[in-house]
Amino acid sequence: MKTPKNAEKFIYKPAVKNSDAMPVWFCFPADFSIGMSSLGYPYLFRLLDENPDVKPERIFTDTEKTFHNAKNVQLAGFSFSFELDFLGIFKILDKFNIPLKSIDRDENYPLLFAGGPVVTANPEPFSAFFDFFLVGDGEELFDEIIDVLKQNKHKTKNEKLIALSKLEGVYVPSLYEFTYNENFTISSIKTLCKETPKSIERKVTKPLNKCLYTPIISENIAFSNMFLIEISRGCPMRCRFCIASYLTLPTRYPDYEEIIKAIEIGLEHSSKLGLLGALISLHPDFEKICTYLSNRRKEKKFEVSVSSLRADRLTPQVAQMLAECGQKNITIAVEAGSERLRKVINKRLTEEMIVNCIKTASENGLTGVKIYGMIGLPTETDDDIYEFIELMKRLKSVKKGFKITLSVSSFVPKAQTPFEREERLANKEIKKRIELLKKGLAKIHVDFKPTSARWDYIQAFLSRADRRTANIIEKVYKSGGNISDWNSIYKELSKEEKEIIPDFDWYALRNRSDEETLPWALIESSVSKSLLLNERSKAFNKQSLEKIEI
């Protein structure tokens, strides 16, 4: 990786480092171009760089040279946003000759940690590879972790981990023992150290008064010179399959004044603004923000792009602002084609709301819409697929020439959501329903982009796996990480291994009873567990599905 100094603009001032500042690697499991196009990773790096006790360095899969030899680095952290990110993480470890498994790393190697939605939801499949995990919002934990490591600088690796385990939001997997029943389910989870907590509370930044924004603007990245601004964190709508809704509770919004300050900082350094959040249009001042951007653009030309919008929140004013600022298309998520199924998943959208969104977009300068849908949701039948086709037909007829793209994934039961225990359909049935939808859409000329059912299956496996799968994950990486490698690895396990490790279907497809202990039970608070069970109950309760509550 080569990054000329003039290709980056630092919008903050790094701290003057103390003589004994700790060498730290902060790693992203992809190349520089992808890593620096995100918001969370550069922002967390900034927090490290503003600490005088830390000498941080950015590490990517294409990093060739570093300031510090791996054995001189005391701490190495990884951003972990998607299940398959482990392939990039292992690539970095291999490149710098760091053993993959924690048990194989002695005092001469850095402590390895990971944070992000994957390990906040279910860290167990990856517990053998990391010394500890950050559960929740990382920005609240960095300074605390550095302070603990400074105070325990001359202690053993295990003593440092015990000290770290006392921090809220830190999970040290080696300090816990899992036992299993004959039917492969979890029998018990025990602490191995009396000082470690019996459950891990998610760390939450609350309230979210300050506004996160891009700290380093880069030219040589996927989104060149883009200045990103966090408009919201979390989503209050709580679609029952959605990890973004439940991992980030409660939903929080930066103050309007802070967002305006961030916009002005961005316009000093860039002509491209990106507004980020799971559902930015639900910010209480979203229209006010759009008005500000429209007025500001009369003084200076710049582009604005937004993440997914909610269909019932697109107003003419918002659509016009986006069109004026260079965005041609918008993205909305309808998930299911039938109103019945949208009620089951708690997607509070009527068909009229969706149709009106398309009308508003097409009448106010936008030229197309990308729609997210999902196949294989709980209780789905062929009738729901036919209704999806009819919905697309109606949307297509709103305005001639308005482009509609339907991007469809298959349902993946995610840990820490109300549907975490639900069955996933076998790939054969998923493919059948995709073909049914594809055939119907071909007649109305909707641009259809279906999922890879095979990769969604692997995602479902990793989402609900436990620590017994560590050897499988390692072997898949060493074999190349392709879909064919996943298919062959389990078959190659020894008879003894298969006696203690369930097959992929056991993890990916089956329904779990309410009584079964889940691998991520350690990081479920009593409040979140009761909320998930309550929402799951509502999903299949006829009385609660009588009407959509907006």
Side-chain angles (χ1 to χ4, degrees), residues 184 403 420 507 514:
F184 294 123
K403 185 175 181 181
E420 63 187 2
Y507 287 111
D514 289 349

Side-chain angles (χ1 to χ4, degrees), residues 23-77:
V24 173
W25 280 359
F26 194 43
C27 313
F28 193 89
D31 62 28
F32 173 87
S33 171
I34 300 298
M36 291 307 295
S37 290
S38 65
L39 175 58
Y41 171 79
Y43 177 78
L44 292 172
F45 175 80
R46 170 183 177 169
L47 296 184
L48 290 170
D49 207 16
E50 290 179 327
N51 188 330
D53 290 322
V54 181
K55 289 181 187 172
E57 185 175 0
R58 289 172 284 165
I59 303 292
F60 306 91
T61 54
D62 56 349
T63 298
E64 296 299 333
K65 294 183 179 180
T66 70
F67 300 132
H68 305 99
N69 182 286
K71 292 194 175 184
N72 295 327
V73 175
Q74 296 180 44
L75 184 66

Side-chain angles (χ1 to χ4, degrees), residues 284-345:
D285 293 311
F286 187 65
E287 287 210 5
K288 195 175 171 184
I289 294 166
C290 291
T291 298
Y292 184 88
L293 289 167
S294 291
N295 292 335
R296 192 69 175 83
R297 199 171 184 279
K298 295 173 184 175
E299 303 166 11
K300 176 183 178 178
K301 280 194 174 183
F302 58 88
E303 297 176 12
V304 174
S305 62
V306 300
S307 52
S308 180
L309 294 170
R310 186 168 165 85
D312 61 338
R313 301 283 291 193
L314 184 70
T315 64
Q317 177 193 11
V318 173
Q320 288 166 18
M321 182 278 291
L322 293 173
E324 289 169 1
C325 293
Q327 183 156 335
K328 302 299 182 186
N329 308 303
I330 58 166
T331 300
I332 62 171
V334 304
E335 312 305 355
S338 72
E339 201 157 293
R340 180 202 70 81
L341 192 51
R342 288 197 293 275
K343 290 176 185 177
V344 170
I345 65 176

Side-chain angles (χ1 to χ4, degrees), residues 426-461:
N427 283 357
K428 184 177 180 180
E429 181 60 30
I430 292 288
K431 290 176 182 177
K432 174 187 167 186
R433 296 188 187 186
I434 287 175
E435 285 303 311
L436 186 63
L437 185 56
K438 182 179 180 180
K439 184 178 179 181
L441 294 175
K443 298 175 183 178
I444 56 175
H445 306 293
V446 168
D447 189 8
F448 181 48
K449 296 183 178 179
T451 186
S452 164
R454 295 169 73 192
W455 277 118
D456 286 353
Y457 172 83
I458 297 302
Q459 188 184 149
F461 162 73

